[in-house]
Amino acid sequence: MSTHASGTVTVTRYAPVTSVHYELVPARRLSLETVASRTGLHPELIRRFVALGLVEAEHDAAGRLVFAPEAPAALGRVERLHSGLCLNYASIGLVLDLLDRIDLLEAALRRSGVRSEQPPWT
């Protein structure tokens, strides 16, 4: 605060200090072998899923596939759609895109308060 000669008080406000976050530990990644053992799927089938865009993967410095920790769950979802609905792997990509879009739309409706959690037929 500062006081002027005329008796007025001026308050100086400063912008809040934002914290900077640095990753000290690199994001954990799973190898192809680890994902295969956790899911029970053959590594070649997992490579096919990556090629079809059904699961995301990156290449490490050595050129090997590495996956996010959520990859086994995503692969389980693909396998449930394949076995439960008898869909081929190419059409599963479309179904996954539609399910993700539905999730986004439902979340937006919940945020806006337009839709209740109860379905209209109950």
Side-chain angles (χ1 to χ4, degrees), residues 3 8 14 20 23 29 33 61-62 71 79 84 96 103 110 114:
T3 305
T8 59
Y14 297 98
V20 178
E23 291 289 333
R29 297 290 181 197
E33 293 76 22
E79 280 301 297
L96 290 173
D103 287 341
R110 277 192 299 274
V114 173

Side-chain angles (χ1 to χ4, degrees), residues 45 49 75-92:
L45 182 58
F49 290 163
L75 288 167
R77 188 178 190 195
V78 169
E79 280 301 297
R80 284 190 305 277
L81 287 170
H82 177 66
S83 63
L85 298 178
C86 299
L87 296 173
N88 64 27
Y89 291 124
S91 62
I92 288 175

Side-chain angles (χ1 to χ4, degrees), residues 4 31-32 46 59 72 76:
H4 297 289
S31 69
L32 176 62
I46 296 172
H59 292 277

Side-chain angles (χ1 to χ4, degrees), residues 10 37 40-41 46 78 95 111:
T10 306
S37 68
L41 298 174
I46 296 172
V78 169
V95 172
R111 281 192 308 273

Side-chain angles (χ1 to χ4, degrees), residues 7-112:
T8 59
V9 177
T10 306
V11 177
T12 306
R13 299 196 187 269
Y14 297 98
V17 176
T18 58
S19 63
V20 178
H21 178 73
Y22 295 100
E23 291 289 333
L24 298 178
V25 178
R28 191 176 142 202
R29 297 290 181 197
L30 302 175
S31 69
L32 176 62
E33 293 76 22
T34 302
V35 171
S37 68
R38 289 186 183 179
T39 60
L41 298 174
H42 195 277
E44 286 302 317
L45 182 58
I46 296 172
R47 282 191 183 96
R48 180 189 294 175
F49 290 163
V50 171
L52 289 171
L54 300 177
V55 67
E56 292 183 20
E58 298 174 358
H59 292 277
D60 64 3
R64 297 176 298 231
L65 284 176
V66 290
F67 298 85
E70 301 82 24
L75 288 167
R77 188 178 190 195
V78 169
E79 280 301 297
R80 284 190 305 277
L81 287 170
H82 177 66
S83 63
L85 298 178
C86 299
L87 296 173
N88 64 27
Y89 291 124
S91 62
I92 288 175
L94 175 62
V95 172
L96 290 173
D97 289 343
L98 291 172
L99 289 173
D100 290 341
R101 180 70 177 150
I102 289 169
D103 287 341
L104 289 172
L105 291 171
E106 287 180 341
L109 284 174
R110 277 192 299 274
R111 281 192 308 273
S112 69

